[in-house]
Amino acid sequence: MGSNYLRYFVDSEDFLCQNDGVKELHLVTVRADGSYIQSRTTQHSNHVIKTELGIENFDFHSLRHTHATELSEAGVNLKEIQRRLGHKSLEITTRKYIHATDEMQRQSLEIMNRMYQAR
């Protein structure tokens, strides 16, 4: 979208604005053009996923866990994952948000096999 992408900032009085403010915000729920998706829209999507698609245990918070796990699986530094999620403690990030996957196990075995190959 280039220069047409909507950007959001916080001004010096902590109000949301779209022109250059003090700090740029990187919102999670945005459209392709950067426009903010209101929480009511997200709630409606959540309802559709649960009732019409039949995925009863879905909630949008689970996407934070998925994001953290995928970042870890891809090798992103744990401190960066902690920062992205906004956790004060690395323990919260690693204990509650990053889940072991088959891919992580495969990668670990591959690393250990290389470590212990006959030299």
Side-chain angles (χ1 to χ4, degrees):
M1 302 287 311
S3 62
N4 293 324
Y5 189 82
L6 296 174
R7 296 169 57 205
Y8 295 91
F9 298 86
V10 174
D11 66 16
S12 59
E13 297 175 8
D14 284 337
F15 287 105
L16 186 67
C17 59
Q18 283 188 322
N19 46 359
D20 291 333
V22 175
K23 178 181 176 186
E24 184 172 6
L25 297 175
H26 300 282
L27 303 172
V28 174
T29 54
V30 295
R31 293 178 181 83
D33 67 354
S35 60
Y36 176 66
I37 299 173
Q38 296 180 356
S39 61
R40 296 281 295 148
T41 303
T42 305
Q43 288 170 348
H44 175 71
S45 298
N46 194 60
H47 176 75
V48 169
I49 290 167
K50 285 183 171 195
T51 59
E52 293 181 26
L53 297 179
I55 306 171
E56 295 178 16
N57 61 350
F58 175 83
D59 63 61
F60 276 92
H61 183 79
S62 298
L63 297 177
R64 286 174 54 85
H65 293 257
T66 301
H67 181 61
T69 301
E70 287 180 341
L71 290 174
S72 179
E73 208 174 59
V76 173
N77 184 283
L78 292 174
K79 290 298 284 181
E80 174 58 17
I81 298 171
Q82 174 193 354
R83 186 197 67 76
R84 288 183 61 84
L85 295 179
H87 295 151
K88 291 182 181 180
S89 159
L90 185 58
E91 179 190 9
I92 295 294
T93 306
T94 57
R95 189 169 49 89
K96 292 196 177 256
Y97 281 81
I98 296 174
H99 306 280
T101 66
D102 291 342
E103 176 61 16
M104 287 176 183
Q105 183 180 20
R106 187 196 64 72
Q107 290 173 359
S108 296
L109 288 172
E110 204 173 275
I111 291 167
M112 288 184 278
N113 284 335
R114 283 195 309 267
M115 284 175 58
Y116 298 112
Q117 279 180 349
R119 296 171 202 217

